[in-house]
């Protein structure tokens, strides 16, 4: 009888499937998948035939409730977006762009701000929290060095499948190293060193954690907005979407008309200036991309 499990890693045609007892088996996928155009993904819930003590064959992939393309990973519930408040310095534009991306995937977004121990970050966390919490985003201050935030992260990750995302050097692997102290792989396996002399994460891998799973994911920030229509952007900014309904102009991009409800909300301080600035910058990028398409 075939046994249920979850793919936690995929390398060179092999799938590592973890069963409920925690054991991991190295599997091939049954040939018929290729013919049917199905390619198993990390995160897939599968059935496998057991071969020997630690091998198997994936025989069935269960329907997915979500599927990311970059990174390729299935059945994710939420993303912990990681930003550093200093070194590298915080970019509000990056925060807003990543948030828009996660909204476009319809995933829950959690915001983690690292390196609160560095003096350059003083006061900055309070500022970001004041912007993002009223919109309904969980906002957590983190410092591995000062031992801040990891308990809250554990609560937020419990029982769910979470991807960590964020630019290189913000501290994603460092957080995982604290959550998963026994997994040498988290900071060790990563192998290749980036130009700045640090370990850089290369593979997508799910680690069981707090009754759920967590993944460190390379390359998330390469999301490509190019295929999106400019008018779709509003719905990815919660604060802007909340007032955009009241805008009297049909098809308004909320970037120029006097009398536009969004512009009014910005001038009254009901929408944060930096959020609106990010919206305008992304909108300009989408318009450029569209112009290049035709
Ligand atoms: N001061 C301070 N430094 C930190 C903190 N968290 C991480 N760092 C440092 O920041 C650097 C980058 O951390 P990583 O965890 O490798 O960053 P990453 O996000 O995994 O980077 P990539 O794998 O390249 O995407 C390391 O030198 C860490 O020691 C923190 O809370 N405070
Ligand atoms: Mg890393
Ligand atoms: Zn408008």
């Amino acid at each position: 009888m075939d046994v249920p499990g979850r793919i936690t890693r995929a390398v060179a045609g092999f799938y590592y499937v973890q069963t409920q007892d925690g054991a991991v088996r190295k599997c091939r996928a049954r040939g018929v998948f290729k013919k049917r155009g199905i390619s198993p993904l990390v995160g897939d819930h599968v059935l496998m035939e057991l071969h020997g003590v630690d091998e198997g064959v994936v025989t069935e992939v269960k329907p997915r409730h979500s599927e990311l393309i970059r990174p390729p990973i299935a059945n994710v519930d939420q993303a912990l977006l990681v930003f550093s408040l200093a070194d590298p310095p915080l970019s509000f534009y990056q925060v807003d762009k990543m948030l828009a991306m996660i909204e476009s995937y319809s995933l829950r977004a959690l915001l983690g701000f690292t390196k609160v121990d560095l003096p350059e970050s003083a006061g900055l966390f309070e500022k970001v929290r004041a912007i993002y919490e009223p919109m309904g985003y969980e906002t957590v201050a983190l410092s591995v060095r000062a031992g801040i935030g990891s308990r809250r992260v554990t609560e937020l990750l419990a029982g769910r499948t979470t991807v960590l995302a964020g630019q290189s050097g913000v501290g994603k692997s460092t957080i995982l190293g604290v959550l998963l102290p026994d997994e040498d792989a988290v900071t060790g396996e990563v192998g290749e060193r980036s130009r700045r002399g640090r370990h850089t994460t290369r593979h997508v891998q799910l680690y069981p954690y707090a009754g759920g799973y967590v993944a460190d994911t390379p390359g998330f920030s390469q999301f490509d907005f190019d295929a999106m229509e400019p008018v779709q952007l509003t719905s990815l900014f919660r604060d802007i979407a909340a007032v955009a309904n009241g805008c009297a102009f049909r098809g308004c991009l909320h970037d120029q008309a006097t009398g536009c409800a969004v512009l009014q909300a910005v001038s009254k301080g009901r929408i944060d200036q930096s959020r609106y600035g990010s919206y305008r910058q992304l909108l300009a990028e989408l318009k450029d991309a569209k112009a290049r398409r035709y």
Side-chain angles (χ1 to χ4, degrees):
M1 208 189 62
D2 291 358
V3 171
R6 191 161 195 200
I7 299 177
T8 55
R9 196 155 82 101
V11 179
F14 285 105
Y15 300 95
Y16 293 81
V17 179
Q18 186 162 41
T19 43
Q20 225 143 35
D21 59 4
V24 175
R25 285 175 177 261
K26 186 176 178 179
C27 297
R28 289 268 184 208
R30 184 175 267 176
V32 297
F33 288 132
K34 220 168 232 167
K35 275 182 231 143
R36 281 192 256 144
I38 300 170
S39 131
L41 287 177
V42 171
D44 270 331
H45 296 284
V46 301
L47 292 179
M48 67 177 158
E49 227 168 66
L50 306 185
H51 290 211
V53 286
D54 57 4
E55 291 186 7
V57 172
V58 174
T59 54
E60 190 182 326
V61 175
K62 302 276 179 67
R64 295 166 183 154
H65 75 67
S66 73
E67 182 178 336
L68 303 181
I69 313 274
R70 269 185 307 184
I73 180 166
N75 301 313
V76 169
D77 300 313
Q78 59 185 8
L80 173 57
L81 304 182
V82 183
F83 307 95
S84 74
L85 293 172
D87 186 31
L90 182 67
S91 155
F92 283 93
Y93 175 68
Q94 275 304 325
V95 177
D96 296 329
K97 188 171 178 174
M98 293 274 283
L99 266 180
M101 170 184 96
I102 295 304
E103 292 286 350
S104 78
Y105 287 141
S106 299
L107 296 178
R108 179 186 188 212
L110 313 168
L111 303 177
F113 295 91
T114 61
K115 312 196 189 185
V116 286
D117 56 285
L118 294 178
E120 306 93 287
S121 73
L124 203 46
F125 178 70
E126 289 66 31
K127 194 174 158 190
V128 296
R129 180 158 61 187
I131 296 173
Y132 296 99
E133 268 195 356
M135 283 180 242
Y137 297 114
E138 287 285 347
T139 305
V140 186
L142 292 163
S143 169
V144 171
R145 262 179 223 178
I148 295 170
S150 52
R151 195 176 308 163
R152 184 78 191 114
V153 168
T154 302
E155 287 169 6
L156 292 168
L157 268 48
R160 296 187 160 108
T161 297
T162 307
V163 293
L164 263 69
Q167 294 195 308
S168 189
V170 296
K172 300 179 297 295
S173 297
T174 305
I175 295 169
L176 277 184
V178 171
L179 302 181
L180 308 165
D182 300 332
E183 296 279 358
D184 301 342
V186 172
T187 43
E189 164 247 358
V190 285
E192 271 175 87
R193 277 172 173 269
S194 72
R195 263 167 293 150
R196 284 152 87 186
R198 286 183 277 94
H199 286 296
T200 291
T201 307
R202 298 283 172 196
H203 297 289
V204 183
Q205 178 159 4
L206 281 182
Y207 299 97
Y209 181 69
Y213 289 84
V214 60
D216 193 359
T217 54
F220 216 130
S221 49
Q222 292 160 20
F223 181 77
D224 177 7
F225 283 90
D226 283 8
M228 193 187 285
E229 286 294 319
V231 67
Q232 291 175 285
L233 190 62
T234 308
S235 66
L236 305 183
F237 279 70
R238 286 185 181 178
D239 43 354
I240 294 175
V243 299
N245 278 342
C247 189
F249 301 105
R250 266 181 176 276
C252 185
L253 293 174
H254 319 300
D255 61 343
Q256 41 198 344
T258 45
C260 164
V262 170
L263 283 171
Q264 277 170 4
V266 174
S267 68
K268 285 182 191 145
R270 284 177 53 218
I271 291 175
D272 187 86
Q273 285 283 355
S274 81
R275 285 280 293 171
Y276 185 65
S278 298
Y279 171 80
R280 289 288 296 264
Q281 193 173 333
L282 257 178
L283 187 67
E285 285 179 25
L286 293 190
K287 284 177 170 177
D288 277 358
K290 188 174 178 179
R292 271 184 268 116
R293 278 205 300 275
Y294 301 112

